Amino acid sequence: MTAAQGEPEELPITGDDDVVRVRQLVRGYAQRAKLSLVNQTKLVTAASELARNTLVYGGGGVARVEFVSDGRRQGVRAAFEDHGPGIPDLGLALADGWSSGSGLGLGLSGSRRLVDQFDLDTEVGRGTTVTVVKWKG
C-alpha cells in the first residue's frame, strides 16, 4: 500500500482532548475518502478506542492518519504508536470480550472487528503500535 495523497498527518496523544482531536481527524479522512456512513462510524469508533488505549496503557504517543490505496481501492489508515510497557499477554488482550473496563468496552478484539485490516506490533519494554485500515466499498 502506498499513500494516495502526501505524508501521514500526525497528532500527539497526551491527554483526553487529544483523543477527541484524533477522532475528529479520522472522521475527516473517512469523509474525504467517501467511506459510507457505517464504515466511517466503524473506523472512528476503532480509532477512538485505540487512541484511548495509547493514552491509558501506553502513557501517550502519536496517531498517524493517511489515505492509502492498494491499486484497486482507496481507504484510510490510522496508526497508533506508544513507547509504553508493551502488552505482556497478547492472547488475553486480543481475546473476544476482554476489556480492562476503562475504554469503550471494545478492547482490541472489538476494534479489530470494526476494520478491514488490523496489525499489532508490541514488545514488553518497547511499546505498542496498532495500525488499522478501512477500505471504501
PDB file of all heavy atoms in Angstrom, residues 64-107:
ATOM      1  N   ARG A  64      -1.051   8.543  13.550  1.00  0.00           N
ATOM      2  CA  ARG A  64      -0.744   8.942  12.171  1.00  0.00           C
ATOM      3  C   ARG A  64      -1.897   8.487  11.289  1.00  0.00           C
ATOM      4  O   ARG A  64      -2.256   7.301  11.303  1.00  0.00           O
ATOM      5  CB  ARG A  64       0.549   8.297  11.692  1.00  0.00           C
ATOM      6  CG  ARG A  64       1.781   8.809  12.388  1.00  0.00           C
ATOM      7  CD  ARG A  64       3.056   8.116  11.860  1.00  0.00           C
ATOM      8  NE  ARG A  64       4.183   8.493  12.698  1.00  0.00           N
ATOM      9  CZ  ARG A  64       4.540   7.876  13.823  1.00  0.00           C
ATOM     10  NH1 ARG A  64       3.843   6.848  14.237  1.00  0.00           N
ATOM     11  NH2 ARG A  64       5.568   8.296  14.515  1.00  0.00           N
ATOM     12  N   VAL A  65      -2.443   9.429  10.509  1.00  0.00           N
ATOM     13  CA  VAL A  65      -3.605   9.125   9.664  1.00  0.00           C
ATOM     14  C   VAL A  65      -3.274   9.520   8.234  1.00  0.00           C
ATOM     15  O   VAL A  65      -2.682  10.579   7.998  1.00  0.00           O
ATOM     16  CB  VAL A  65      -4.858   9.886  10.164  1.00  0.00           C
ATOM     17  CG1 VAL A  65      -6.083   9.506   9.342  1.00  0.00           C
ATOM     18  CG2 VAL A  65      -5.105   9.604  11.640  1.00  0.00           C
ATOM     19  N   GLU A  66      -3.662   8.643   7.295  1.00  0.00           N
ATOM     20  CA  GLU A  66      -3.373   8.929   5.892  1.00  0.00           C
ATOM     21  C   GLU A  66      -4.335   8.183   4.979  1.00  0.00           C
ATOM     22  O   GLU A  66      -4.972   7.213   5.376  1.00  0.00           O
ATOM     23  CB  GLU A  66      -1.942   8.535   5.554  1.00  0.00           C
ATOM     24  CG  GLU A  66      -1.667   7.043   5.666  1.00  0.00           C
ATOM     25  CD  GLU A  66      -0.207   6.697   5.478  1.00  0.00           C
ATOM     26  OE1 GLU A  66       0.444   7.274   4.587  1.00  0.00           O
ATOM     27  OE2 GLU A  66       0.297   5.846   6.237  1.00  0.00           O
ATOM     28  N   PHE A  67      -4.415   8.684   3.733  1.00  0.00           N
ATOM     29  CA  PHE A  67      -5.128   7.969   2.683  1.00  0.00           C
ATOM     30  C   PHE A  67      -4.206   6.882   2.153  1.00  0.00           C
ATOM     31  O   PHE A  67      -2.995   7.089   2.061  1.00  0.00           O
ATOM     32  CB  PHE A  67      -5.501   8.920   1.535  1.00  0.00           C
ATOM     33  CG  PHE A  67      -6.471   9.991   1.940  1.00  0.00           C
ATOM     34  CD1 PHE A  67      -6.064  11.304   2.007  1.00  0.00           C
ATOM     35  CD2 PHE A  67      -7.790   9.686   2.242  1.00  0.00           C
ATOM     36  CE1 PHE A  67      -6.945  12.301   2.375  1.00  0.00           C
ATOM     37  CE2 PHE A  67      -8.685  10.679   2.620  1.00  0.00           C
ATOM     38  CZ  PHE A  67      -8.260  11.994   2.682  1.00  0.00           C
ATOM     39  N   VAL A  68      -4.770   5.731   1.790  1.00  0.00           N
ATOM     40  CA  VAL A  68      -3.987   4.644   1.211  1.00  0.00           C
ATOM     41  C   VAL A  68      -4.722   4.064   0.005  1.00  0.00           C
ATOM     42  O   VAL A  68      -5.939   4.216  -0.137  1.00  0.00           O
ATOM     43  CB  VAL A  68      -3.693   3.516   2.233  1.00  0.00           C
ATOM     44  CG1 VAL A  68      -2.725   3.979   3.304  1.00  0.00           C
ATOM     45  CG2 VAL A  68      -4.970   2.984   2.852  1.00  0.00           C
ATOM     46  N   SER A  69      -3.958   3.401  -0.836  1.00  0.00           N
ATOM     47  CA  SER A  69      -4.508   2.706  -1.996  1.00  0.00           C
ATOM     48  C   SER A  69      -3.712   1.421  -2.188  1.00  0.00           C
ATOM     49  O   SER A  69      -2.501   1.402  -1.963  1.00  0.00           O
ATOM     50  CB  SER A  69      -4.391   3.589  -3.241  1.00  0.00           C
ATOM     51  OG  SER A  69      -4.755   2.849  -4.385  1.00  0.00           O
ATOM     52  N   ASP A  70      -4.408   0.369  -2.606  1.00  0.00           N
ATOM     53  CA  ASP A  70      -3.709  -0.870  -2.928  1.00  0.00           C
ATOM     54  C   ASP A  70      -3.735  -1.127  -4.436  1.00  0.00           C
ATOM     55  O   ASP A  70      -3.471  -2.233  -4.885  1.00  0.00           O
ATOM     56  CB  ASP A  70      -4.282  -2.057  -2.153  1.00  0.00           C
ATOM     57  CG  ASP A  70      -5.691  -2.427  -2.576  1.00  0.00           C
ATOM     58  OD1 ASP A  70      -6.273  -1.753  -3.451  1.00  0.00           O
ATOM     59  OD2 ASP A  70      -6.229  -3.405  -2.026  1.00  0.00           O
ATOM     60  N   GLY A  71      -4.057  -0.103  -5.207  1.00  0.00           N
ATOM     61  CA  GLY A  71      -4.121  -0.227  -6.653  1.00  0.00           C
ATOM     62  C   GLY A  71      -5.528  -0.512  -7.166  1.00  0.00           C
ATOM     63  O   GLY A  71      -5.849  -0.222  -8.304  1.00  0.00           O
ATOM     64  N   ARG A  72      -6.373  -1.075  -6.307  1.00  0.00           N
ATOM     65  CA  ARG A  72      -7.752  -1.389  -6.691  1.00  0.00           C
ATOM     66  C   ARG A  72      -8.764  -0.539  -5.933  1.00  0.00           C
ATOM     67  O   ARG A  72      -9.864  -0.313  -6.396  1.00  0.00           O
ATOM     68  CB  ARG A  72      -8.071  -2.864  -6.415  1.00  0.00           C
ATOM     69  CG  ARG A  72      -7.237  -3.849  -7.210  1.00  0.00           C
ATOM     70  CD  ARG A  72      -7.546  -5.298  -6.819  1.00  0.00           C
ATOM     71  NE  ARG A  72      -7.129  -5.558  -5.444  1.00  0.00           N
ATOM     72  CZ  ARG A  72      -7.920  -5.998  -4.472  1.00  0.00           C
ATOM     73  NH1 ARG A  72      -9.173  -6.258  -4.690  1.00  0.00           N
ATOM     74  NH2 ARG A  72      -7.436  -6.192  -3.249  1.00  0.00           N
ATOM     75  N   ARG A  73      -8.376  -0.119  -4.754  1.00  0.00           N
ATOM     76  CA  ARG A  73      -9.332   0.597  -3.891  1.00  0.00           C
ATOM     77  C   ARG A  73      -8.591   1.593  -3.021  1.00  0.00           C
ATOM     78  O   ARG A  73      -7.386   1.478  -2.833  1.00  0.00           O
ATOM     79  CB  ARG A  73     -10.115  -0.399  -3.045  1.00  0.00           C
ATOM     80  CG  ARG A  73      -9.203  -1.273  -2.218  1.00  0.00           C
ATOM     81  CD  ARG A  73      -9.881  -2.463  -1.621  1.00  0.00           C
ATOM     82  NE  ARG A  73      -8.849  -3.278  -0.973  1.00  0.00           N
ATOM     83  CZ  ARG A  73      -9.070  -4.262  -0.173  1.00  0.00           C
ATOM     84  NH1 ARG A  73     -10.295  -4.604   0.115  1.00  0.00           N
ATOM     85  NH2 ARG A  73      -8.077  -4.926   0.374  1.00  0.00           N
ATOM     86  N   GLN A  74      -9.352   2.545  -2.495  1.00  0.00           N
ATOM     87  CA  GLN A  74      -8.806   3.560  -1.604  1.00  0.00           C
ATOM     88  C   GLN A  74      -9.383   3.363  -0.216  1.00  0.00           C
ATOM     89  O   GLN A  74     -10.447   2.797  -0.037  1.00  0.00           O
ATOM     90  CB  GLN A  74      -9.147   4.969  -2.106  1.00  0.00           C
ATOM     91  CG  GLN A  74      -8.254   5.453  -3.239  1.00  0.00           C
ATOM     92  CD  GLN A  74      -8.538   4.727  -4.538  1.00  0.00           C
ATOM     93  OE1 GLN A  74      -9.681   4.596  -4.931  1.00  0.00           O
ATOM     94  NE2 GLN A  74      -7.501   4.240  -5.196  1.00  0.00           N
ATOM     95  N   GLY A  75      -8.652   3.904   0.753  1.00  0.00           N
ATOM     96  CA  GLY A  75      -9.122   3.815   2.121  1.00  0.00           C
ATOM     97  C   GLY A  75      -8.354   4.751   3.025  1.00  0.00           C
ATOM     98  O   GLY A  75      -7.654   5.653   2.567  1.00  0.00           O
ATOM     99  N   VAL A  76      -8.502   4.524   4.308  1.00  0.00           N
ATOM    100  CA  VAL A  76      -7.857   5.339   5.337  1.00  0.00           C
ATOM    101  C   VAL A  76      -7.098   4.407   6.269  1.00  0.00           C
ATOM    102  O   VAL A  76      -7.632   3.380   6.705  1.00  0.00           O
ATOM    103  CB  VAL A  76      -8.891   6.150   6.146  1.00  0.00           C
ATOM    104  CG1 VAL A  76      -8.214   6.948   7.260  1.00  0.00           C
ATOM    105  CG2 VAL A  76      -9.684   7.073   5.228  1.00  0.00           C
ATOM    106  N   ARG A  77      -5.846   4.778   6.551  1.00  0.00           N
ATOM    107  CA  ARG A  77      -5.028   4.035   7.507  1.00  0.00           C
ATOM    108  C   ARG A  77      -4.787   4.935   8.708  1.00  0.00           C
ATOM    109  O   ARG A  77      -4.456   6.107   8.559  1.00  0.00           O
ATOM    110  CB  ARG A  77      -3.699   3.629   6.899  1.00  0.00           C
ATOM    111  CG  ARG A  77      -2.774   2.967   7.905  1.00  0.00           C
ATOM    112  CD  ARG A  77      -1.458   2.468   7.352  1.00  0.00           C
ATOM    113  NE  ARG A  77      -1.148   3.014   6.048  1.00  0.00           N
ATOM    114  CZ  ARG A  77      -0.301   2.478   5.194  1.00  0.00           C
ATOM    115  NH1 ARG A  77       0.345   1.385   5.491  1.00  0.00           N
ATOM    116  NH2 ARG A  77      -0.067   3.045   4.042  1.00  0.00           N
ATOM    117  N   ALA A  78      -4.924   4.361   9.892  1.00  0.00           N
ATOM    118  CA  ALA A  78      -4.627   5.069  11.137  1.00  0.00           C
ATOM    119  C   ALA A  78      -3.704   4.186  11.969  1.00  0.00           C
ATOM    120  O   ALA A  78      -3.982   3.002  12.166  1.00  0.00           O
ATOM    121  CB  ALA A  78      -5.907   5.379  11.910  1.00  0.00           C
ATOM    122  N   ALA A  79      -2.592   4.760  12.409  1.00  0.00           N
ATOM    123  CA  ALA A  79      -1.631   4.029  13.232  1.00  0.00           C
ATOM    124  C   ALA A  79      -1.492   4.725  14.577  1.00  0.00           C
ATOM    125  O   ALA A  79      -1.460   5.959  14.639  1.00  0.00           O
ATOM    126  CB  ALA A  79      -0.277   3.953  12.527  1.00  0.00           C
ATOM    127  N   PHE A  80      -1.405   3.939  15.627  1.00  0.00           N
ATOM    128  CA  PHE A  80      -1.314   4.439  16.994  1.00  0.00           C
ATOM    129  C   PHE A  80      -0.063   3.847  17.617  1.00  0.00           C
ATOM    130  O   PHE A  80       0.034   2.631  17.755  1.00  0.00           O
ATOM    131  CB  PHE A  80      -2.564   4.043  17.786  1.00  0.00           C
ATOM    132  CG  PHE A  80      -3.819   4.567  17.132  1.00  0.00           C
ATOM    133  CD1 PHE A  80      -4.437   3.839  16.122  1.00  0.00           C
ATOM    134  CD2 PHE A  80      -4.333   5.794  17.488  1.00  0.00           C
ATOM    135  CE1 PHE A  80      -5.560   4.333  15.480  1.00  0.00           C
ATOM    136  CE2 PHE A  80      -5.460   6.292  16.854  1.00  0.00           C
ATOM    137  CZ  PHE A  80      -6.073   5.562  15.855  1.00  0.00           C
ATOM    138  N   GLU A  81       0.887   4.704  17.991  1.00  0.00           N
ATOM    139  CA  GLU A  81       2.185   4.244  18.485  1.00  0.00           C
ATOM    140  C   GLU A  81       2.468   4.825  19.864  1.00  0.00           C
ATOM    141  O   GLU A  81       2.276   6.014  20.102  1.00  0.00           O
ATOM    142  CB  GLU A  81       3.282   4.681  17.514  1.00  0.00           C
ATOM    143  CG  GLU A  81       4.672   4.293  17.944  1.00  0.00           C
ATOM    144  CD  GLU A  81       5.732   4.791  16.970  1.00  0.00           C
ATOM    145  OE1 GLU A  81       5.388   5.242  15.867  1.00  0.00           O
ATOM    146  OE2 GLU A  81       6.919   4.735  17.343  1.00  0.00           O
ATOM    147  N   ASP A  82       2.929   3.958  20.753  1.00  0.00           N
ATOM    148  CA  ASP A  82       3.378   4.418  22.068  1.00  0.00           C
ATOM    149  C   ASP A  82       4.697   3.748  22.404  1.00  0.00           C
ATOM    150  O   ASP A  82       5.103   2.801  21.744  1.00  0.00           O
ATOM    151  CB  ASP A  82       2.321   4.151  23.154  1.00  0.00           C
ATOM    152  CG  ASP A  82       2.128   2.669  23.457  1.00  0.00           C
ATOM    153  OD1 ASP A  82       3.102   2.002  23.869  1.00  0.00           O
ATOM    154  OD2 ASP A  82       1.001   2.164  23.292  1.00  0.00           O
ATOM    155  N   HIS A  83       5.354   4.279  23.418  1.00  0.00           N
ATOM    156  CA  HIS A  83       6.610   3.691  23.901  1.00  0.00           C
ATOM    157  C   HIS A  83       6.435   3.262  25.348  1.00  0.00           C
ATOM    158  O   HIS A  83       7.337   3.385  26.162  1.00  0.00           O
ATOM    159  CB  HIS A  83       7.767   4.692  23.749  1.00  0.00           C
ATOM    160  CG  HIS A  83       8.015   5.046  22.319  1.00  0.00           C
ATOM    161  ND1 HIS A  83       8.609   4.180  21.432  1.00  0.00           N
ATOM    162  CD2 HIS A  83       7.711   6.154  21.618  1.00  0.00           C
ATOM    163  CE1 HIS A  83       8.668   4.751  20.246  1.00  0.00           C
ATOM    164  NE2 HIS A  83       8.118   5.941  20.318  1.00  0.00           N
ATOM    165  N   GLY A  84       5.241   2.735  25.616  1.00  0.00           N
ATOM    166  CA  GLY A  84       4.902   2.300  26.961  1.00  0.00           C
ATOM    167  C   GLY A  84       5.443   0.920  27.272  1.00  0.00           C
ATOM    168  O   GLY A  84       6.404   0.454  26.650  1.00  0.00           O
ATOM    169  N   PRO A  85       4.792   0.225  28.202  1.00  0.00           N
ATOM    170  CA  PRO A  85       5.314  -1.057  28.683  1.00  0.00           C
ATOM    171  C   PRO A  85       5.103  -2.222  27.722  1.00  0.00           C
ATOM    172  O   PRO A  85       5.651  -3.300  27.944  1.00  0.00           O
ATOM    173  CB  PRO A  85       4.520  -1.285  29.970  1.00  0.00           C
ATOM    174  CG  PRO A  85       3.241  -0.543  29.754  1.00  0.00           C
ATOM    175  CD  PRO A  85       3.618   0.670  28.942  1.00  0.00           C
ATOM    176  N   GLY A  86       4.327  -2.039  26.662  1.00  0.00           N
ATOM    177  CA  GLY A  86       4.017  -3.152  25.772  1.00  0.00           C
ATOM    178  C   GLY A  86       2.894  -3.999  26.351  1.00  0.00           C
ATOM    179  O   GLY A  86       2.399  -3.742  27.443  1.00  0.00           O
ATOM    180  N   ILE A  87       2.486  -5.016  25.618  1.00  0.00           N
ATOM    181  CA  ILE A  87       1.386  -5.878  26.043  1.00  0.00           C
ATOM    182  C   ILE A  87       1.975  -7.235  26.432  1.00  0.00           C
ATOM    183  O   ILE A  87       2.435  -7.979  25.571  1.00  0.00           O
ATOM    184  CB  ILE A  87       0.351  -6.041  24.915  1.00  0.00           C
ATOM    185  CG1 ILE A  87      -0.215  -4.670  24.514  1.00  0.00           C
ATOM    186  CG2 ILE A  87      -0.773  -6.991  25.349  1.00  0.00           C
ATOM    187  CD1 ILE A  87      -1.101  -4.694  23.287  1.00  0.00           C
ATOM    188  N   PRO A  88       1.964  -7.552  27.737  1.00  0.00           N
ATOM    189  CA  PRO A  88       2.600  -8.794  28.184  1.00  0.00           C
ATOM    190  C   PRO A  88       1.854 -10.060  27.768  1.00  0.00           C
ATOM    191  O   PRO A  88       2.468 -11.092  27.525  1.00  0.00           O
ATOM    192  CB  PRO A  88       2.646  -8.660  29.704  1.00  0.00           C
ATOM    193  CG  PRO A  88       1.627  -7.641  30.045  1.00  0.00           C
ATOM    194  CD  PRO A  88       1.492  -6.739  28.852  1.00  0.00           C
ATOM    195  N   ASP A  89       0.512  -9.997  27.687  1.00  0.00           N
ATOM    196  CA  ASP A  89      -0.274 -11.180  27.328  1.00  0.00           C
ATOM    197  C   ASP A  89      -1.137 -10.832  26.117  1.00  0.00           C
ATOM    198  O   ASP A  89      -2.304 -10.451  26.244  1.00  0.00           O
ATOM    199  CB  ASP A  89      -1.141 -11.624  28.509  1.00  0.00           C
ATOM    200  CG  ASP A  89      -1.826 -12.958  28.261  1.00  0.00           C
ATOM    201  OD1 ASP A  89      -1.965 -13.367  27.082  1.00  0.00           O
ATOM    202  OD2 ASP A  89      -2.230 -13.594  29.245  1.00  0.00           O
ATOM    203  N   LEU A  90      -0.543 -10.946  24.943  1.00  0.00           N
ATOM    204  CA  LEU A  90      -1.231 -10.571  23.712  1.00  0.00           C
ATOM    205  C   LEU A  90      -2.465 -11.436  23.482  1.00  0.00           C
ATOM    206  O   LEU A  90      -3.498 -10.938  23.024  1.00  0.00           O
ATOM    207  CB  LEU A  90      -0.273 -10.687  22.526  1.00  0.00           C
ATOM    208  CG  LEU A  90      -0.706 -10.028  21.229  1.00  0.00           C
ATOM    209  CD1 LEU A  90      -1.077  -8.573  21.429  1.00  0.00           C
ATOM    210  CD2 LEU A  90       0.395 -10.149  20.202  1.00  0.00           C
ATOM    211  N   GLY A  91      -2.389 -12.712  23.827  1.00  0.00           N
ATOM    212  CA  GLY A  91      -3.544 -13.598  23.680  1.00  0.00           C
ATOM    213  C   GLY A  91      -4.736 -13.101  24.464  1.00  0.00           C
ATOM    214  O   GLY A  91      -5.857 -13.059  23.947  1.00  0.00           O
ATOM    215  N   LEU A  92      -4.519 -12.720  25.704  1.00  0.00           N
ATOM    216  CA  LEU A  92      -5.597 -12.192  26.533  1.00  0.00           C
ATOM    217  C   LEU A  92      -6.090 -10.866  25.981  1.00  0.00           C
ATOM    218  O   LEU A  92      -7.296 -10.633  25.889  1.00  0.00           O
ATOM    219  CB  LEU A  92      -5.124 -12.016  27.983  1.00  0.00           C
ATOM    220  CG  LEU A  92      -6.147 -11.429  28.954  1.00  0.00           C
ATOM    221  CD1 LEU A  92      -7.376 -12.331  29.061  1.00  0.00           C
ATOM    222  CD2 LEU A  92      -5.517 -11.217  30.319  1.00  0.00           C
ATOM    223  N   ALA A  93      -5.180  -9.981  25.598  1.00  0.00           N
ATOM    224  CA  ALA A  93      -5.558  -8.663  25.101  1.00  0.00           C
ATOM    225  C   ALA A  93      -6.396  -8.760  23.830  1.00  0.00           C
ATOM    226  O   ALA A  93      -7.243  -7.900  23.578  1.00  0.00           O
ATOM    227  CB  ALA A  93      -4.314  -7.817  24.853  1.00  0.00           C
ATOM    228  N   LEU A  94      -6.184  -9.792  23.031  1.00  0.00           N
ATOM    229  CA  LEU A  94      -6.929  -9.961  21.780  1.00  0.00           C
ATOM    230  C   LEU A  94      -8.134 -10.896  21.920  1.00  0.00           C
ATOM    231  O   LEU A  94      -8.854 -11.128  20.948  1.00  0.00           O
ATOM    232  CB  LEU A  94      -6.006 -10.484  20.678  1.00  0.00           C
ATOM    233  CG  LEU A  94      -5.004  -9.474  20.146  1.00  0.00           C
ATOM    234  CD1 LEU A  94      -4.001 -10.153  19.223  1.00  0.00           C
ATOM    235  CD2 LEU A  94      -5.698  -8.323  19.437  1.00  0.00           C
ATOM    236  N   ALA A  95      -8.363 -11.415  23.114  1.00  0.00           N
ATOM    237  CA  ALA A  95      -9.480 -12.339  23.336  1.00  0.00           C
ATOM    238  C   ALA A  95     -10.806 -11.600  23.180  1.00  0.00           C
ATOM    239  O   ALA A  95     -10.968 -10.474  23.650  1.00  0.00           O
ATOM    240  CB  ALA A  95      -9.388 -12.960  24.725  1.00  0.00           C
ATOM    241  N   ASP A  96     -11.747 -12.256  22.510  1.00  0.00           N
ATOM    242  CA  ASP A  96     -13.071 -11.666  22.339  1.00  0.00           C
ATOM    243  C   ASP A  96     -13.695 -11.374  23.698  1.00  0.00           C
ATOM    244  O   ASP A  96     -13.677 -12.214  24.596  1.00  0.00           O
ATOM    245  CB  ASP A  96     -13.990 -12.616  21.566  1.00  0.00           C
ATOM    246  CG  ASP A  96     -13.743 -12.560  20.078  1.00  0.00           C
ATOM    247  OD1 ASP A  96     -13.101 -11.599  19.610  1.00  0.00           O
ATOM    248  OD2 ASP A  96     -14.194 -13.474  19.377  1.00  0.00           O
ATOM    249  N   GLY A  97     -14.227 -10.170  23.829  1.00  0.00           N
ATOM    250  CA  GLY A  97     -14.930  -9.791  25.038  1.00  0.00           C
ATOM    251  C   GLY A  97     -14.056  -9.313  26.175  1.00  0.00           C
ATOM    252  O   GLY A  97     -14.554  -8.854  27.188  1.00  0.00           O
ATOM    253  N   TRP A  98     -12.726  -9.395  26.030  1.00  0.00           N
ATOM    254  CA  TRP A  98     -11.863  -8.952  27.114  1.00  0.00           C
ATOM    255  C   TRP A  98     -11.654  -7.456  27.012  1.00  0.00           C
ATOM    256  O   TRP A  98     -11.355  -6.916  25.955  1.00  0.00           O
ATOM    257  CB  TRP A  98     -10.506  -9.649  27.092  1.00  0.00           C
ATOM    258  CG  TRP A  98      -9.709  -9.328  28.320  1.00  0.00           C
ATOM    259  CD1 TRP A  98      -9.777  -9.976  29.518  1.00  0.00           C
ATOM    260  CD2 TRP A  98      -8.748  -8.286  28.491  1.00  0.00           C
ATOM    261  NE1 TRP A  98      -8.920  -9.395  30.419  1.00  0.00           N
ATOM    262  CE2 TRP A  98      -8.280  -8.355  29.812  1.00  0.00           C
ATOM    263  CE3 TRP A  98      -8.252  -7.286  27.656  1.00  0.00           C
ATOM    264  CZ2 TRP A  98      -7.339  -7.477  30.330  1.00  0.00           C
ATOM    265  CZ3 TRP A  98      -7.312  -6.405  28.167  1.00  0.00           C
ATOM    266  CH2 TRP A  98      -6.860  -6.511  29.491  1.00  0.00           C
ATOM    267  N   SER A  99     -11.862  -6.760  28.108  1.00  0.00           N
ATOM    268  CA  SER A  99     -11.610  -5.330  28.188  1.00  0.00           C
ATOM    269  C   SER A  99     -11.204  -5.016  29.603  1.00  0.00           C
ATOM    270  O   SER A  99     -11.660  -5.648  30.546  1.00  0.00           O
ATOM    271  CB  SER A  99     -12.868  -4.531  27.812  1.00  0.00           C
ATOM    272  OG  SER A  99     -12.645  -3.153  28.003  1.00  0.00           O
ATOM    273  N   SER A 100     -10.355  -4.020  29.733  1.00  0.00           N
ATOM    274  CA  SER A 100      -9.920  -3.614  31.067  1.00  0.00           C
ATOM    275  C   SER A 100     -11.023  -2.873  31.796  1.00  0.00           C
ATOM    276  O   SER A 100     -10.961  -2.682  32.997  1.00  0.00           O
ATOM    277  CB  SER A 100      -8.711  -2.696  30.953  1.00  0.00           C
ATOM    278  OG  SER A 100      -9.117  -1.491  30.329  1.00  0.00           O
ATOM    279  N   GLY A 101     -12.030  -2.422  31.066  1.00  0.00           N
ATOM    280  CA  GLY A 101     -13.124  -1.696  31.690  1.00  0.00           C
ATOM    281  C   GLY A 101     -12.971  -0.195  31.642  1.00  0.00           C
ATOM    282  O   GLY A 101     -13.869   0.536  32.025  1.00  0.00           O
ATOM    283  N   SER A 102     -11.842   0.323  31.133  1.00  0.00           N
ATOM    284  CA  SER A 102     -11.651   1.777  31.151  1.00  0.00           C
ATOM    285  C   SER A 102     -11.899   2.425  29.800  1.00  0.00           C
ATOM    286  O   SER A 102     -11.936   3.636  29.691  1.00  0.00           O
ATOM    287  CB  SER A 102     -10.231   2.111  31.619  1.00  0.00           C
ATOM    288  OG  SER A 102      -9.287   1.606  30.696  1.00  0.00           O
ATOM    289  N   GLY A 103     -12.089   1.636  28.750  1.00  0.00           N
ATOM    290  CA  GLY A 103     -12.314   2.215  27.421  1.00  0.00           C
ATOM    291  C   GLY A 103     -13.775   2.127  27.036  1.00  0.00           C
ATOM    292  O   GLY A 103     -14.669   2.176  27.877  1.00  0.00           O
ATOM    293  N   LEU A 104     -14.031   1.966  25.748  1.00  0.00           N
ATOM    294  CA  LEU A 104     -15.402   1.862  25.253  1.00  0.00           C
ATOM    295  C   LEU A 104     -15.969   0.475  25.475  1.00  0.00           C
ATOM    296  O   LEU A 104     -17.119   0.213  25.145  1.00  0.00           O
ATOM    297  CB  LEU A 104     -15.437   2.179  23.751  1.00  0.00           C
ATOM    298  CG  LEU A 104     -15.034   3.585  23.352  1.00  0.00           C
ATOM    299  CD1 LEU A 104     -14.922   3.688  21.837  1.00  0.00           C
ATOM    300  CD2 LEU A 104     -16.041   4.589  23.876  1.00  0.00           C
ATOM    301  N   GLY A 105     -15.163  -0.421  26.015  1.00  0.00           N
ATOM    302  CA  GLY A 105     -15.613  -1.785  26.219  1.00  0.00           C
ATOM    303  C   GLY A 105     -15.380  -2.662  25.012  1.00  0.00           C
ATOM    304  O   GLY A 105     -15.800  -3.811  24.984  1.00  0.00           O
ATOM    305  N   LEU A 106     -14.710  -2.122  23.995  1.00  0.00           N
ATOM    306  CA  LEU A 106     -14.451  -2.888  22.785  1.00  0.00           C
ATOM    307  C   LEU A 106     -13.236  -3.776  22.926  1.00  0.00           C
ATOM    308  O   LEU A 106     -13.182  -4.860  22.374  1.00  0.00           O
ATOM    309  CB  LEU A 106     -14.195  -1.945  21.602  1.00  0.00           C
ATOM    310  CG  LEU A 106     -15.337  -1.078  21.143  1.00  0.00           C
ATOM    311  CD1 LEU A 106     -14.845  -0.122  20.077  1.00  0.00           C
ATOM    312  CD2 LEU A 106     -16.444  -1.956  20.596  1.00  0.00           C
ATOM    313  N   GLY A 107     -12.232  -3.275  23.629  1.00  0.00           N
ATOM    314  CA  GLY A 107     -10.964  -3.972  23.668  1.00  0.00           C
ATOM    315  C   GLY A 107     -10.340  -3.999  22.286  1.00  0.00           C
ATOM    316  O   GLY A 107     -10.890  -3.484  21.313  1.00  0.00           O
TER     317      GLY A 107
END
